[in-house]
């Protein structure tokens, strides 16, 4: 912190350089698409349109900057840049705002309803809903099922679907129990004659609601129905087409009171169904219509589907293309997804299909055979439909390397196929694994492995090496690349020659991170460790089995940034490499789960008792084993290392480039003991953050922090995010899951957090508080931006001065310069000392008893000298500057 020099007068120089910004040299984003955050707002910063580096040091504004549901769609935004209050640059942009937040669907926990006199209850939104909402206002709803009746299960499972105006949806459900209509009539009245219409082969069960008239009655389950023929009761109340010539009696009985009634039943057939079911079509529905002999007529009971040709993709080859799928995905009309039957309700008909699938290089052919069965006549009609899926598959014709001059497929190197093969190379290293080649600055990226250009995601690249030892220093590696497309099982091969020049009489074993950075001090075998480059050379390697071992302080390299990566992976926001996943698998279960989040919290808190013996894990590059027999002279031995918990590989192996700084701005304060102060902490620039972690030192333990609040950070509480120790306040916060993808927008004008504190002595805030430099004070911006190093920047710093008495006693006073009041610390209240102030000529202009606070507002501005004398006569003097 800057201190006032007691012997040099202050000089203040102002030098302003005006830089004119030419409109032709600067641009802003002409269009931008944003999505409202989980709180249905979005804060746009000037940097989003102008760039972070373009106008550093200038005042920037943007209008509008806050977007809500009212701004959905296109918005015109104006950005302005000012220099010393003068407008230097302006631009406009179109910002398209979308709402991607799902509404909140909330059902009641339980519901009981009563059927009406018709035996039905229609659900209403009001009786199902328990506070469903959408941040952007209006929404539609769908209740499934829409009603409950006598045949519904009891209870019935009801789903409430909420859909907002942007198409986002959410659902909630509950089980609804129901009661029958409570006051049905007790006396029964049967129809004198009940007509039952039937089709051949059909069986109909007679229920009370078919026979009873008047009412209202209860549900059919309350009543028994009995059918008699010539006075003989049937075991079940069922009629068939055989009963069309019979006169049947029916009796309905109320099981609750014994009341009953009688009537007659006549069974008839539907006149429209008297025509036998008939199929003569042999062609699809779009063929020219004629008679049965023409292949397509409108006089029979069928319309066959036409053939379908689909433009597919790589994944389509894995699908079965059922009729339901064809319709739901919009790939075919209903009439071409399955046969359409005419008057099917008159007949007992079943429809089924079988598929024969033929996979070709670029197509998938489905030969679908439809079978229609009449259960009455026993006839079967068959029809064949062809579904052709044209697949965008891998197409490779090249046989030469990528740097061969372009010609056509016949010439060996075409610009139109889907591959570029690597060229032959020479490397001065035995490490020829593709990852090693990628890290070798002498190897062109095009020569590391084949480059595949296709939308297919089911293409795999593998290689096999045939190694020939030319002499003691040269290996010839014939690498055969195989590119396989799993959809079609077609493979393509290519041979690349790699000449490796190396000393094969010794064996070099290297240990690196995934990025190729060497890991030093790894024990390969007892007594032998890797050097600064992560490698060690064995002179007599025969029979040596290397098993790398290393341990480091458990928390080193692990911080809240690793937890953010873990959460982003679990929420599907970010992908991790297999080795990053192993580093985050703290319970060693073989996969990442929220159990690992709990263990990560324990690790960060210093309470984790690890299940792993060593906190570094090593995997041999080719086999992924934790060990390797290094006898074979023709094999490069390299291990990839991870540190448990260090998902982002931030463990410091060597000097790294410093992170970009971001200041935590605080206004300095004169603190009076026992008074309460609210001290806000601001980030120096607009930032969207995913989290931060900082440790603030209470240097002299003079600050009693009563509360830490951060209303701009969702989910922040002092209990969950702040830890107090003797002289340290540790604050850490990670955005809740809903905010992790977009981040929380924090303007430089809104505090990151605020301290409420009460000092125990009179003091200056900047002399009582600082960052703990041994702690990783970091802010993580959203997206893939690297973390920012946090440092404190006190604004309007209050400077204190020291009066050194002859007996060694020190009396501090502040501020210096002073406007009105000065404060003293380190004085003895029983000393009865005196204070006098003299101007530059030595004339006394002020005198007072020595107290903790003096009012100097009557003094004019200028340079003075303050003189303190104790009762015992000990004195000291120093310059004082009055503003």
């Amino acid at each position: 912190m800057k201190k006032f020099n007691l012997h040099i007068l202050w000089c203040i120089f102002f030098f302003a350089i005006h830089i004119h910004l030419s409109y032709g040299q600067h641009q802003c984003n002409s269009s931008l698409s944003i999505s409202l955050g989980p709180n249905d707002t979005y804060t746009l910063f000037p940097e989003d349109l102008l760039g972070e580096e373009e106008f550093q040091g200038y005042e920037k504004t943007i209008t509008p900057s806050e977007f809500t549901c009212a701004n959905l769609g296109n918005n015109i935004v104006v950005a302005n840049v000012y220099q010393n209050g003068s407008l230097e640059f302006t631009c406009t942009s179109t910002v398209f705002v979308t709402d991607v937040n799902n509404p909140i669907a909330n059902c009641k926990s339980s519901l009981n309803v009563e059927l009406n006199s018709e035996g039905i209850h229609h659900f209403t939104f009001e009786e199902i809903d328990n506070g469903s909402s959408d941040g952007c206002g209006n929404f539609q709803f769908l209740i499934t099922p829409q009603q409950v009746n006598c045949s519904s299960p009891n209870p019935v499972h009801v789903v409430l679907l909420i859909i907002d105006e942007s198409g986002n949806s959410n659902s909630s459900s509950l089980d609804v129990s129901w009661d029958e209509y409570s006051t049905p009539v007790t006396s029964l009245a049967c129809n004198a004659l009940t007509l039952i219409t039937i089709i051949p082969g059909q069986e109909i069960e007679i229920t009370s609601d078919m026979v009873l008239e008047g009412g209202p009655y209860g549900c059919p389950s309350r009543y028994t129905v009995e059918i008699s023929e010539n006075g003989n009761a049937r075991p079940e109340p069922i009629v068939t087409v055989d009963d069309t010539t019979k006169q049947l009696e029916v009796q309905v009985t109320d099981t609750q009171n014994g009341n009953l009634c009688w009537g007659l039943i006549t069974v008839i057939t539907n006149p429209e169904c008297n025509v036998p079911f008939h199929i003569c079509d042999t062609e699809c529905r779009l063929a020219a219509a004629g008679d049965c002999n023409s292949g397509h007529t409108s006089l029979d009971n069928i319309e066959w589907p036409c053939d379908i040709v689909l433009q597919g993709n790589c994944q389509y080859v894995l699908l079965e293309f059922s009729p339901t799928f064809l319709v739901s995905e919009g790939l075919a009309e209903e009439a071409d997804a399955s046969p359409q039957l005419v008057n099917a309700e008159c007949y007992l008909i079943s429809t089924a299909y079988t598929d024969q699938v033929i996979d070709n290089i670029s197509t998938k052919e489905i030969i679908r055979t439809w079978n229609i069965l009449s259960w009455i006549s026993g006839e079967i009609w068959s029809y064949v439909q062809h579904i052709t899926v044209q697949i965008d598959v891998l197409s490779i014709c090249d046989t030469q390397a990528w740097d061969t001059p372009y010609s056509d497929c016949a010439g060996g190197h075409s610009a139109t196929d889907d591959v570029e093969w690597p060229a032959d190379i020479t490397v001065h290293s035995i490490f020829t694994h593709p990852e090693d080649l990628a890290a070798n600055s002498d190897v062109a990226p095009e020569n590391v492995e084949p480059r595949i250009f296709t939308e297919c995601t089911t293409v795999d690249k593998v290689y096999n090496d045939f190694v020939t030892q030319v002499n003691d220093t040269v290996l010839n590696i014939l690498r055969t690349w195989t590119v396989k497309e799993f959809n079609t099982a077609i493979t393509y091969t290519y041979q690349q020659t790699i000449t490796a020049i190396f000393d094969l009489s010794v064996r070099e074993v290297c240990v690196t991170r995934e990025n190729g950075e060497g890991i030093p001090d790894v024990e390969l075998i007892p007594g032998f460790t890797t050097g600064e480059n992560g490698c060690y050379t064995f002179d007599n390697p025969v029979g040596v089995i290397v098993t790398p071992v290393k341990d480091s302080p458990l928390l080193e390299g692990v911080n809240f940034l690793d937890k953010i990566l873990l959460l982003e992976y679990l929420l599907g926001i970010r992908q991790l490499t297999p080795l990053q996943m192993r580093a985050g698998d703290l319970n060693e279960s073989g996969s990442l789960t929220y159990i690992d989040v709990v263990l990560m919290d324990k690790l960060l808190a210093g309470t984790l008792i690890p299940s792993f013996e060593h906190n570094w894990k090593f995997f041999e590059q080719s086999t992924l084993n934790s060990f390797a027999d290094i006898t074979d002279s023709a094999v490069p031995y390299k291990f990839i290392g991870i540190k448990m918990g260090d998902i982002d590989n931030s463990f410091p192996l060597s000097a790294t480039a410093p992170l970009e700084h971001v200041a935590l701005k605080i206004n300095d304060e004169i603190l009076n003991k026992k008074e309460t102060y609210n001290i806000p902490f601001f980030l120096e620039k607009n930032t969207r953050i995913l989290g931060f972690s900082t440790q603030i030192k209470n240097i002299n333990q003079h600050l009693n922090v009563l509360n830490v609040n951060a209303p701009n950070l969702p989910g922040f509480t002092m209990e969950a995010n702040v830890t107090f120790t003797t002289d340290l306040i540790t604050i850490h916060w990670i955005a809740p899951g809903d905010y992790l993808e977009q981040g929380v927008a924090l303007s430089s004008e809104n505090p990151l957090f605020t301290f409420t504190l009460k000092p125990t002595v009179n003091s200056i805030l900047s002399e009582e508080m600082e960052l703990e430099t041994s702690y990783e004070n970091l802010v993580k911006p959203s997206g893939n931006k690297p973390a920012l190093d946090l440092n404190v920047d006190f604004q309007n710093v209050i400077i204190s001065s020291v009066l050194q008495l002859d007996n060694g006693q020190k009396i501090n006073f502040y501020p210096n310069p002073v406007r009105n009041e000065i404060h003293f610390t380190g004085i003895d209240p029983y000393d009865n000392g005196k204070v006098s102030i003299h101007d530059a000529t030595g004339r006394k202009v002020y005198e007072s008893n020595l107290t903790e606070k003096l009012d100097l507002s009557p003094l004019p501005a200028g340079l003075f000298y303050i003189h303190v004398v104790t009762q015992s006569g000990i004195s000291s003097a120093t310059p004082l500057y009055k503003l």
Side-chain angles (χ1 to χ4, degrees):
M1 186 184 67
K2 296 179 181 177
K3 296 291 183 179
F4 182 64
N5 191 313
L6 304 181
H7 305 291
I8 300 176
L9 295 180
W10 287 6
C11 296
I12 303 174
F13 297 92
F14 297 96
F15 183 68
I17 302 176
H18 177 74
I19 302 176
H20 181 70
L21 303 178
S22 170
Y23 280 75
Q25 295 175 340
H26 302 278
Q27 296 180 352
C28 66
N29 290 336
S30 60
S31 62
L32 188 67
S33 294
I34 62 175
S35 301
L36 297 180
N39 58 347
D40 292 306
T41 64
Y42 190 96
T43 300
L44 196 68
F45 296 139
E47 293 81 2
D48 295 321
L49 298 184
L50 301 170
E52 292 193 10
E53 306 297 331
E54 183 75 9
F55 298 100
Q56 283 194 3
Y58 294 86
E59 181 186 354
K60 294 164 285 189
T61 65
I62 188 170
T63 306
S65 61
E66 296 293 329
F67 297 87
T68 66
C69 297
N71 304 108
L72 294 180
N74 284 320
N75 300 266
I76 300 300
V77 177
V78 178
N80 292 322
V81 179
Y82 297 89
Q83 171 87 7
N84 297 328
S86 173
L87 179 65
E88 298 290 340
F89 178 73
T90 186
C91 65
T92 61
S93 177
T94 301
V95 176
F96 186 75
V97 182
T98 59
D99 173 23
V100 297
N101 298 315
N102 290 328
I104 297 173
N106 192 9
C107 286
K108 293 178 179 176
S109 59
S110 61
L111 180 66
N112 179 267
V113 298
E114 180 181 297
L115 306 185
N116 61 20
S117 59
E118 298 177 353
I120 299 172
H121 178 82
H122 293 275
F123 293 119
T124 66
F125 176 76
E126 289 72 22
E127 66 184 351
I128 297 290
D129 178 60
N130 191 35
S132 299
S133 62
D134 179 68
C136 286
N138 297 330
F139 58 83
Q140 297 177 334
F141 66 89
L142 176 65
I143 300 174
T144 307
Q146 297 180 357
Q147 65 180 34
V148 62
N149 55 42
C150 289
S151 61
S152 301
N154 197 356
V156 60
H157 191 68
V158 178
V159 177
L160 174 64
L161 176 66
I162 301 295
I163 308 171
D164 68 16
E165 292 182 342
S166 296
N168 307 304
S169 63
N170 205 345
S171 64
S172 179
S173 63
L174 77 161
D175 288 329
V176 178
S177 58
W178 54 270
D179 299 321
E180 294 184 34
Y181 180 56
S182 58
T183 57
V185 297
T186 55
S187 59
L188 308 184
C190 292
N191 283 309
L193 179 63
T194 300
L195 295 178
I196 302 297
T197 302
I198 202 166
I199 63 174
Q202 186 181 20
E203 290 185 346
I204 296 179
E205 180 182 0
I206 306 302
T207 58
S208 61
D209 54 327
M210 298 178 182
V211 177
L212 293 175
E213 63 178 1
Y217 296 103
C219 288
S221 59
R222 173 174 173 151
Y223 308 96
T224 61
V225 177
E226 183 181 90
I227 293 178
S228 300
E229 181 183 353
N230 299 323
N232 297 316
R234 293 185 175 180
E236 293 180 311
I238 293 176
V239 296
T240 67
V241 73
D242 295 334
D243 294 315
T244 55
T245 59
K246 302 173 182 177
Q247 188 174 24
L248 305 175
E249 296 178 351
V250 60
Q251 176 181 296
V252 179
T253 304
D254 189 333
T255 59
Q256 294 191 13
N257 57 30
N259 292 339
L260 50 83
C261 65
W262 296 268
L264 297 177
I265 290 180
T266 296
V267 180
I268 62 174
T269 58
N270 186 344
E272 295 181 1
C273 297
N274 291 333
V275 178
F277 186 82
H278 177 58
I279 291 179
C280 65
D281 280 3
T282 57
E283 296 187 28
C284 85
R285 64 185 183 91
L286 296 180
D291 56 17
C292 278
N293 294 325
S294 69
H296 179 221
T297 179
S298 59
L299 303 177
D300 65 351
N301 292 90
I302 193 73
E303 289 290 337
W304 293 115
C306 292
D307 295 342
I308 301 173
V309 177
L310 303 175
Q311 296 296 326
N313 56 37
C314 300
Q315 287 71 39
Y316 270 11
V317 76
L318 305 175
L319 303 174
E320 296 181 357
F321 294 94
S322 67
T324 301
F325 177 81
L326 290 171
V327 174
S328 64
E329 294 297 311
L331 301 176
E333 299 180 28
E334 182 73 40
D336 288 329
S338 58
Q340 305 299 297
L341 297 175
V342 180
N343 286 344
E345 65 276 5
C346 291
Y347 313 97
L348 293 179
I349 302 295
S350 65
T351 303
Y353 68 87
T354 58
D355 283 347
Q356 178 187 359
V357 180
I358 301 175
D359 287 318
N360 300 308
I361 293 178
S362 60
T363 62
K364 174 178 181 176
E365 186 78 14
I366 302 173
I367 301 174
R368 178 161 292 171
T369 301
W370 290 100
N371 292 301
I372 308 294
L373 169 64
S374 170
W375 289 99
I376 297 175
S377 67
E379 291 180 275
I380 298 177
W381 296 268
S382 297
Y383 172 81
V384 176
Q385 178 189 21
H386 293 268
I387 301 174
T388 302
V389 185
Q390 296 179 343
I391 304 169
D392 178 19
V393 297
L394 191 67
S395 174
I396 291 178
C397 65
D398 280 5
T399 58
Q400 301 295 319
W402 67 277
D403 55 359
T404 305
Y406 280 124
S407 56
D408 54 18
C409 281
H413 185 213
S414 168
T416 59
D417 71 344
D418 294 329
V419 75
E420 290 288 354
W421 297 114
D424 298 340
I425 56 174
T426 297
V427 295
H428 293 271
S429 170
I430 198 172
F431 293 104
T432 57
H433 188 283
E435 289 185 3
D436 296 324
L437 296 180
N440 190 332
S441 59
D442 294 330
V443 177
E446 294 83 358
N447 292 328
V448 172
E449 62 181 356
R451 292 175 294 155
I452 306 299
F453 306 94
T454 176
E455 295 180 358
C456 294
T457 58
T458 52
V459 174
D460 191 25
K461 293 180 290 188
V462 297
Y463 69 90
N464 290 306
D465 287 347
F466 181 77
V467 181
T468 302
Q469 187 168 336
V470 179
N471 54 46
D472 289 343
T473 61
V474 177
L475 289 179
N476 187 286
I477 302 166
L478 185 63
R479 176 162 293 172
T480 301
W481 286 101
T482 300
V483 175
K484 179 180 180 180
E485 184 181 52
F486 285 106
N487 292 338
T488 60
I490 295 177
T491 59
Y492 304 87
T493 60
Y494 172 82
Q495 289 186 332
Q496 176 190 23
T497 299
I498 302 173
T499 302
I501 302 175
F502 196 76
D503 184 358
L504 297 177
S505 63
V506 296
R507 205 78 72 250
E508 185 179 39
V509 178
C510 291
V511 184
T512 73
R513 292 207 275 219
E514 276 193 276
N515 63 1
E517 182 182 12
I519 304 176
D521 300 320
V522 179
E523 183 184 75
L524 301 177
I525 61 175
F528 297 86
T529 60
T530 58
E532 288 300 317
N533 64 347
C535 299
Y536 181 83
T537 301
F538 288 87
D539 293 326
N540 187 19
V542 177
V544 174
I545 297 178
V546 168
T547 304
V549 175
K550 182 180 175 70
D551 277 297
S552 300
L554 198 59
L555 256 177
E556 194 165 2
V558 182
N559 54 38
F560 79 105
L561 301 177
D562 298 295
K563 181 179 176 181
I564 288 177
L565 289 175
L566 179 56
L567 291 170
E568 288 180 325
Y569 171 81
L570 293 172
L571 292 169
I573 298 172
R574 179 183 300 277
Q575 291 297 314
L576 300 177
T577 70
L579 288 181
Q580 283 181 307
M581 294 172 66
R582 287 189 185 235
D585 185 14
L586 296 176
N587 68 340
E588 298 185 290
S589 65
S591 63
L592 295 183
T593 68
Y594 279 93
I595 294 176
D596 296 303
V597 177
V598 175
L599 296 180
M600 179 68 78
D601 285 334
K602 290 185 177 182
L603 176 57
L604 293 173
T607 60
L608 177 67
I609 300 176
S611 61
F612 35 86
E613 181 180 1
H614 302 287
N615 55 41
W616 280 88
K617 304 281 186 180
F618 299 96
F619 306 92
E620 200 281 321
Q621 184 171 245
S622 298
T623 65
L624 296 183
N625 290 333
S626 61
F627 61 91
D629 183 336
I630 64 172
T631 299
D632 190 345
S633 62
V635 176
Y637 297 101
K638 180 178 178 182
F639 289 84
I640 308 298
I642 60 169
K643 184 177 182 294
M644 296 301 288
D646 183 17
I647 300 174
D648 64 355
N649 286 311
S650 62
F651 181 90
L653 293 175
S654 58
T656 57
L659 297 174
E660 180 185 344
H661 292 294
V662 61
L664 194 59
K665 296 169 67 173
I666 315 166
N667 272 321
D668 203 2
E669 289 268 6
I670 295 175
L671 304 176
N672 296 316
K673 63 181 179 180
K674 299 185 179 180
E675 290 188 13
T676 301
Y677 296 85
N678 287 317
I679 309 295
F681 295 70
F682 300 85
L683 289 177
E684 68 173 328
K685 62 181 182 179
N686 302 330
T687 313
R688 287 188 187 86
I689 66 173
L690 299 179
F692 75 96
S693 184
T694 187
Q695 198 169 74
I696 298 173
K697 191 171 184 178
N698 188 351
I699 300 172
N700 304 302
Q701 293 94 60
H702 290 161
L703 303 179
N704 181 18
V705 178
L706 306 177
N707 189 30
V708 181
N709 67 78
N712 297 311
L713 303 180
F716 184 98
T717 65
M718 189 169 75
E719 294 73 21
N721 301 103
V722 185
T723 304
F724 294 93
T725 55
T726 303
D727 62 342
L728 295 172
I729 303 109
T730 304
I731 308 173
H732 62 90
W733 173 82
I734 294 176
D738 289 347
Y739 292 83
L740 263 182
E741 186 167 9
Q742 184 170 285
V744 173
L746 199 68
S747 167
S748 60
E749 298 177 356
N750 295 323
L752 178 64
F753 56 86
T754 300
F755 276 5
T756 301
L757 57 84
K758 183 178 290 187
T760 58
V761 299
N762 295 335
S763 186
I764 302 172
L765 181 64
S766 60
E767 295 189 351
E768 299 291 343
M769 180 186 295
E770 66 183 7
L771 284 189
E772 175 54 58
T773 55
S774 63
Y775 188 81
E776 289 186 287
N777 298 286
L778 300 173
V779 173
K780 177 62 176 75
S782 60
N784 292 318
K785 295 179 182 178
L788 303 173
D789 184 45
L790 196 61
N791 57 73
V792 162
D793 180 14
F794 276 99
Q795 306 291 299
N796 304 315
V797 176
I798 297 166
I799 300 175
S800 65
S801 296
V802 179
L803 289 158
Q804 181 74 50
L805 301 182
D806 295 340
N807 64 353
Q809 180 184 358
K810 292 181 180 179
I811 296 178
N812 289 66
F813 70 92
Y814 56 86
N816 187 9
V818 61
R819 289 189 181 276
N820 296 308
E821 295 180 342
I822 62 170
H823 302 257
F824 290 90
T825 61
I827 63 173
D828 185 346
Y830 304 103
D831 197 11
N832 296 322
K834 296 289 186 180
V835 176
S836 60
I837 296 177
H838 304 259
D839 63 17
T841 66
R843 182 170 60 93
K844 183 188 294 184
V845 295
Y846 182 91
E847 187 174 37
S848 171
N849 292 328
L850 179 59
T851 61
E852 289 185 342
K853 181 171 62 175
L854 295 179
D855 183 8
L856 301 186
S857 57
L859 293 180
L863 175 66
F864 296 89
Y865 288 88
I866 184 169
H867 186 227
V868 174
V869 181
T870 65
Q871 188 179 30
S872 59
I874 299 174
S875 66
S876 180
T878 192
L880 170 70
Y881 195 83
K882 177 69 168 59
L883 298 176

